[in-house]
């Protein structure tokens, strides 16, 4: 059974129209991450939540926001999508943060492929 | 900026042959290295979490080695099968005061195709 679920799998949005991607987990993990992978590039961390604490990467554009209303759900909001935001967006979880000295793997969803038209 | 390099970018291997590929990462401030397998239309799935220099890990026909002093890890697949076709991603975690950074720095992956 899928433990990290992303919806939708494919999302087409219009240039400049706000869009929300969702992620849910059944693992009860404390940490949730959002990664962006553009074509032929490495996945890049956008931000993560440790419980309710939000941590933004320094180079994540302001256009990207996130919400975590409870342990199970995390959302990625793109306020005004541009053509350059077309990518695969991966949600991941880990039981505890690596900053706490934990040797734990990350669990990923299948990703949402975002197309901007 | 952390640089994680994987080579080759893609690889075609005959079924039954063995193969290996490389992940290079910064040798300073090492905390951990992860290997993930990402099959088409599925989620990336962890293969190995490696933390110690000289670590060797094995899962079935797949094994990995780690050299933190020189900054590389090898992934080996013995007797390749069609189901091994996937993108193999390595991910580096830099060490930060008592633990690791909160996030994986990925390479671009090695895209492996097993030909029957």
């Amino acid at each position: 059974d899928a433990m990290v679920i992303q919806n939708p799998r494919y999302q087409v949005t219009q240039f400049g129209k706000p869009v929300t991607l969702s992620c849910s987990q059944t693992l009860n993990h404390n940490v949730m991450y959002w990664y962006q992978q553009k074509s032929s590039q490495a996945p890049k961390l956008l931000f993560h939540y440790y419980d309710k604490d939000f941590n933004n990467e320094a180079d994540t554009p302001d256009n990207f926001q996130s919400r975590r209303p409870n342990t199970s759900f995390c959302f990625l909001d793109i306020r005004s999508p541009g053509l350059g935001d077309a990518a695969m967006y991966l949600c991941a979880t880990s039981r505890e943060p690596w900053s706490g000295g934990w040797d734990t793997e990350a669990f990923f969803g299948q990703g949402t492929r975002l197309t901007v038209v | 900026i952390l640089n994680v390099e994987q080579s080759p970018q893609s690889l075609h291997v005959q079924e039954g042959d063995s193969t290996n590929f490389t992940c290079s990462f910064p040798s300073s401030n090492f905390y951990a290295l992860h290997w993930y397998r990402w099959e088409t239309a599925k989620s990336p799935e962890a293969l190995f979490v490696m933390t110690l220099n000289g670590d060797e890990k094995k899962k079935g026909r797949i094994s990995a080695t780690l050299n933190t002093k020189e900054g590389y890890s090898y992934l080996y697949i013995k007797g390749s099968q069609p189901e091994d076709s996937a993108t193999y991603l390595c991910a580096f975690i830099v060490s930060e005061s008592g633990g690791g950074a909160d996030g994986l720095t990925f390479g671009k992956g090695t895209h492996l195709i097993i030909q029957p």
Side-chain angles (χ1 to χ4, degrees), chain A residues 35 37 97-99 101 106 108 110, chain B residues 31 34 36 38 41 43 100 102 104:
Chain A
Y35 288 87
Q37 186 188 31
W98 296 301
S99 59
F108 286 84
Q110 289 180 292
Chain B
Y31 180 75
H34 294 196
Y36 292 87
W38 193 0
S43 309
D102 282 322
L104 299 167

Side-chain angles (χ1 to χ4, degrees), chain A residues 84-104:
Chain A
D85 297 327
M88 171 72 84
Y89 289 88
L90 287 166
C91 173
T93 73
S94 64
R95 188 158 61 99
E96 293 293 344
W98 296 301
S99 59
W102 288 82
D103 297 332
T104 181

